[in-house]
Amino acid sequence: MQSVHSELPSRQTAATSSSMTNKIDHSQLCQWLKSIAVDRDKQAFTGVFKFFAPKIQRIAQSKLNNEALAAEVLQDTMSNVWRKAHLFDDSKGAATTWVYTIMRNVTFDLLRKMKANKEDNLSDDIWPIAEALNTEDESFTDHIQSRNLLGVIETLPENQQQVVKGFYFMEMSQEQLAVHLNLPLGTIKSRLRLALGKLKLKLGDHHD
């Protein structure tokens, strides 16, 4: 099969259409993924790309603080979407969750290959559980649904819930959370560490 990299729409084209693709149409996204899986439909892939590309680029840029690395995450993520569309199962989770899980996997793999310091906005204490929650299932089942993560998070104190939900589900960095919650950065880091310890105990896993 030809590499999908040569078939990817340009990031500039995707960016200019981002204003038209902000609204999530879950049924349309599911249909596009099924068309890619069954018919290798390039038009459907273009639709998926135009919806996700600006978002993936923005998230990767905020996490990695490097435009070239963010572009690599985008390319590898969409290549995986093309190759693994047959693994998507809408009964197990939303299309958005599936694609963003692929994006996270790609990001983790990139950082491991680089053997660099883990990104500043992801503290060393937070990284292991974040990685485990998002990379362990090859079929990319919904990590929130499959691990009941959201239900566990909601057992945390309210102040810890705020930082954990902001960090994982709103894709906010620790610095952004500090500004958003009007709290010192040290307080945000402390709450994340405390929450992590409680989550590890409640999930009963060993991620060290």
Side-chain angles (χ1 to χ4, degrees):
M1 184 186 74
Q2 272 191 329
S3 171
V4 72
H5 285 268
S6 62
E7 299 168 356
L8 292 175
S10 69
R11 296 198 307 277
Q12 182 177 2
T13 299
T16 58
S17 63
S18 62
S19 62
M20 298 183 291
T21 56
N22 283 332
K23 185 176 180 180
I24 300 177
D25 184 338
H26 290 288
S27 62
Q28 179 66 80
L29 290 174
C30 289
Q31 184 56 55
W32 278 337
L33 288 172
K34 289 176 182 177
S35 295
I36 294 168
V38 175
D39 301 320
R40 314 309 289 160
D41 188 330
K42 293 180 181 179
Q43 185 174 356
F45 179 76
T46 297
V48 172
F49 184 94
K50 286 183 176 181
F51 177 82
F52 283 106
K55 300 169 179 62
I56 292 173
Q57 183 78 20
R58 183 174 64 252
I59 294 169
Q61 177 73 30
S62 70
K63 295 296 184 186
L64 300 171
N65 197 30
N66 183 294
E67 186 175 352
L69 292 178
E72 186 172 346
V73 168
L74 171 59
Q75 292 288 317
D76 288 352
T77 297
M78 297 313 299
S79 292
N80 278 314
V81 168
W82 174 264
R83 292 188 298 105
K84 298 185 177 183
H86 63 285
L87 295 176
F88 172 67
D89 184 346
D90 59 5
S91 69
K92 294 181 179 179
T96 49
T97 300
W98 185 74
V99 173
Y100 289 137
T101 300
I102 294 176
M103 178 197 69
R104 290 186 179 105
N105 292 343
V106 167
T107 303
F108 288 130
D109 287 343
L110 177 62
L111 289 171
R112 279 195 294 265
K113 289 175 184 177
M114 291 171 61
K115 295 181 180 179
N117 291 330
K118 294 176 176 65
E119 194 268 327
D120 288 341
N121 291 334
L122 294 172
S123 73
D124 291 340
D125 291 330
I126 296 298
W127 187 272
I129 195 169
E131 183 170 16
L133 287 170
N134 290 305
T135 63
E136 64 183 12
D137 193 342
E138 184 63 25
S139 64
F140 301 105
T141 54
D142 187 319
H143 63 285
I144 299 173
Q145 178 182 358
S146 63
R147 299 295 300 276
N148 296 314
L149 178 59
L150 186 57
V152 176
I153 288 173
E154 289 178 346
T155 67
L156 296 172
E158 179 63 30
N159 60 0
Q160 293 175 22
Q161 285 189 45
Q162 285 182 324
V163 293
V164 171
K165 289 179 178 179
F167 186 81
Y168 287 113
F169 305 140
M170 297 173 66
E171 302 289 349
M172 298 175 73
S173 69
Q174 291 180 35
E175 287 81 358
Q176 289 170 331
L177 279 169
V179 174
H180 179 68
L181 298 175
N182 194 27
L183 291 170
L185 180 59
T187 300
I188 298 297
K189 291 184 176 181
S190 176
R191 289 182 182 178
L192 280 171
R193 290 191 181 97
L194 288 172
L196 170 65
K198 293 179 181 178
L199 287 173
K200 290 170 75 173
L201 287 173
K202 289 175 182 294
L203 290 170
D205 292 332
H206 302 283
H207 300 307
D208 294 335

